[in-house]
Amino acid sequence: MIAAMVMLTPTVLHTRSSPWTMGWVTILLGALAVQMLLVLVEHLAPAADRPAPDDIPEA
């Protein structure tokens, strides 16, 4: 969805309807922000199938 919006943004920016264009850009930036937050949370969250470092037996 975000990729489609990015591809269509130049077309939207050439329209003469300023409120509609501002809404489009706001939705696009919001979607990008949510996507970045999801990636950050996935990166910071521990994996469920990976044991914690304290649980690994010493070799």
Side-chain angles (χ1 to χ4, degrees):
M1 178 187 92
I2 295 174
M5 287 185 75
V6 169
M7 295 294 292
L8 292 172
T9 296
T11 304
V12 171
L13 294 178
H14 290 302
T15 62
R16 301 288 182 221
S17 177
S18 180
W20 195 81
T21 303
M22 290 304 294
W24 178 275
V25 171
T26 302
I27 291 170
L28 176 61
L29 292 176
L32 288 172
V34 167
Q35 187 70 30
M36 289 174 60
L37 284 172
L38 288 173
V39 168
L40 180 65
V41 166
E42 181 180 347
H43 177 71
L44 294 177
D49 59 345
R50 189 172 36 181
D54 297 337
D55 295 340
I56 299 174
E58 295 295 324

